[in-house]
Amino acid sequence: MVAIRPLRTNSNSILSLAAIITFPAPTFSLTPSLHSTDSSLTYRCYSHSTRSRLAPRLAICNSSLDLKHEEASVHQDLTPSIPVRAFLFSTSVDLKGLVEQNKPNFIPPASRMTNYVVLRFGNLRTELNGLYSSLRGDECCFMVVFQYGSVVLFNVRDHEIDGYLKLVKKHASGLLPETRKDEYEVKEEPNLVTWMQGGLDYIMLQYLNIDGIRTIGSVLGQSIALDYYVRQVDGIVAEFTDINRVMEKTGTFTMERKKLFQLVGKANSNLADVIIKLGLFEKSDIAWKDAKYAQIWEYLRDEFELTQRFASLDFKLKFVEHNIRFLQEILQNRKSDFLEWVIIILIGAEILISVYDLTHKSLVLSL
């Protein structure tokens, strides 16, 4: 409030008017009003006191947003998950034999993909139009088996894993010295706003059906098999590294041609298996047909870094190829040197034989 009073001198005449402010002058903040009926925008004026009244409301609003975010995170953590485990204990599986012995559990394929089969064990509680409502707390489980040796289990308890893997081992060949394992989780949330949502070592879906199982299983199967081939190539790189270190110290190497050719064959077969058997760059038919599963497929490939890991594998194979070419040239030069010495020896022997014949004939004529 502003109080105005006259100031007088000794002669009782009014000299001037002074405005006495009883509170600090307001600072004005112009904000457009949404309630204006005019075509132009009107503005509201806020003083310090008004701004101080708004500050607690903004703080309450921010705290409520943080609380909602925390509640969403806690809700995601508390959402029951479906365990997914991937195994690799062989390099090949006879899918026909596996299906023959497990016909009641076999789920017919819905696409042209023939390098894997899906087996279902147990009975689902509900099934609606081919969409399985939920696997959470269900006795039903699924097993996806790939021709190149990977096995992916869905909703299988820990104490039952060995039993399911034994079903596959009966039809497996090229058993590995150790079994490789990887773990993942799938969470079902029917009220999820989007179709899928990624998290740390899990993926959240509105529901998980057989197409989702095929899509997730294909990526996990490729991932664990790719890890095996990467380790194989790492072993080849280590061998060439040792050879190069010996050459650095001695200036030569003692590898046989047969051993070198074996390494060449091993490197080439690993690359062919990754491209052909794993089908690392072939998009699944399910992902081609439905954008929802294409989203899952692309997300998981990025999550497991399949493209980056293959690029690393390809780089290592190029290193191996460079070393192989270099060592082949050395072995070829050695062979050429050996042949040259053989020719020199043969020419020398021929010269000695000719000299001997001439000497012998001269002696005979002299007698």
Side-chain angles (χ1 to χ4, degrees):
M1 179 177 182
V2 179
I4 302 176
R5 64 179 180 179
L7 296 181
R8 301 178 182 272
T9 60
N10 293 331
S11 59
N12 296 326
S13 63
I14 299 176
L15 297 178
S16 64
L17 295 177
I20 301 174
I21 309 300
T22 59
F23 57 89
T27 59
F28 298 99
S29 174
L30 296 180
T31 59
S33 174
L34 299 180
H35 301 285
S36 175
T37 57
D38 192 5
S39 60
S40 61
L41 294 177
T42 61
Y43 293 85
R44 292 178 179 177
C45 178
Y46 296 104
S47 65
H48 281 298
S49 58
T50 307
R51 188 175 302 173
S52 63
R53 289 196 302 271
L54 290 177
R57 296 181 183 178
L58 294 175
I60 294 173
C61 181
N62 292 333
S63 62
S64 62
L65 291 176
D66 294 339
L67 182 60
K68 289 182 180 178
H69 180 71
E70 292 177 359
E71 289 177 352
S73 300
V74 172
H75 178 68
Q76 291 179 3
D77 294 337
L78 296 178
T79 302
S81 61
I82 301 168
V84 184
R85 298 178 179 88
F87 298 89
L88 182 73
F89 51 80
S90 67
T91 57
S92 179
V93 177
D94 180 16
L95 298 182
K96 291 183 179 179
L98 179 64
V99 172
E100 285 293 329
Q101 291 192 358
N102 298 274
K103 281 186 177 181
N105 308 106
F106 174 64
I107 298 179
S111 63
R112 300 189 305 270
M113 300 296 291
T114 58
N115 68 332
Y116 71 93
V117 296
V118 181
L119 303 177
R120 180 181 64 191
F121 300 89
N123 297 317
L124 286 172
R125 291 175 298 181
T126 55
E127 182 177 350
L128 299 174
N129 298 325
L131 302 178
Y132 303 107
S133 61
S134 178
L135 290 179
R136 295 176 298 179
D138 204 331
E139 298 295 331
C140 182
C141 60
F142 291 83
M143 180 167 63
V144 186
V145 184
F146 295 87
Q147 189 175 12
Y148 50 80
S150 295
V151 180
V152 184
L153 302 178
F154 288 80
N155 202 36
V156 177
R157 296 183 178 89
D158 293 338
H159 65 277
E160 298 176 344
I161 291 177
D162 291 338
Y164 287 106
L165 294 182
K166 287 180 180 179
L167 297 177
V168 182
K169 287 183 179 179
K170 296 178 182 179
H171 307 277
S173 59
L175 296 178
L176 304 179
E178 61 178 355
T179 301
R180 301 192 177 278
K181 177 182 177 182
D182 196 5
E183 296 183 353
Y184 200 64
E185 290 182 353
V186 178
K187 297 184 178 183
E188 291 180 310
E189 180 52 62
N191 298 323
L192 194 65
V193 177
T194 58
W195 156 244
M196 60 148 285
Q197 180 178 334
L200 183 61
D201 292 332
Y202 74 88
I203 184 172
M204 183 176 292
L205 306 175
Q206 291 179 350
Y207 58 86
L208 178 65
N209 60 4
I210 188 63
D211 287 339
I213 289 173
R214 289 191 176 105
T215 304
I216 296 172
S218 65
V219 178
L220 266 67
Q222 289 175 343
S223 176
I224 195 169
L226 181 60
D227 181 67
Y228 163 74
Y229 288 110
V230 168
R231 292 179 182 271
Q232 290 292 307
V233 174
D234 287 342
I236 300 175
V237 171
E239 290 192 44
F240 280 107
T241 302
D242 294 338
I243 293 172
N244 290 328
R245 288 175 179 171
V246 172
M247 291 179 61
E248 182 182 2
K249 294 180 180 179
T250 62
T252 185
F253 74 101
T254 58
M255 176 180 285
E256 297 180 356
R257 182 180 294 270
K258 180 180 179 181
K259 177 66 174 178
L260 180 61
F261 285 164
Q262 287 177 341
L263 291 177
V264 173
K266 188 176 182 180
N268 291 336
S269 62
N270 283 331
L271 181 60
D273 288 344
V274 170
I275 296 177
I276 299 174
K277 292 177 66 175
L278 268 64
L280 198 62
F281 298 101
E282 296 179 5
K283 196 171 185 178
S284 66
D285 289 353
I286 299 172
W288 277 113
K289 294 177 181 178
D290 196 327
K292 294 189 299 184
Y293 301 103
Q295 186 180 2
I296 296 175
W297 185 79
E298 293 173 358
Y299 170 78
L300 290 177
R301 282 179 62 87
D302 184 66
E303 178 74 10
F304 287 93
E305 300 180 345
L306 294 188
T307 303
Q308 294 86 341
R309 288 160 63 189
F310 176 79
S312 175
L313 175 69
D314 186 56
F315 177 79
K316 293 175 183 178
L317 287 174
K318 288 181 179 178
F319 169 79
V320 171
E321 180 184 358
H322 173 75
N323 281 268
I324 289 173
R325 187 182 297 111
F326 174 71
L327 296 179
Q328 281 180 334
E329 291 178 358
I330 294 178
L331 291 177
Q332 186 65 31
N333 292 335
R334 284 183 179 179
K335 186 177 181 179
S336 299
D337 294 342
F338 174 75
L339 293 176
E340 289 177 359
W341 279 107
V342 170
I343 293 173
I344 292 172
I345 292 173
L346 291 175
I347 294 173
E350 185 177 359
I351 293 173
L352 291 175
I353 292 172
S354 299
V355 171
Y356 174 77
D357 288 341
L358 291 173
T359 303
H360 181 69
K361 288 181 181 179
S362 62
L363 290 175
V364 171
L365 291 175
S366 63
L367 292 174

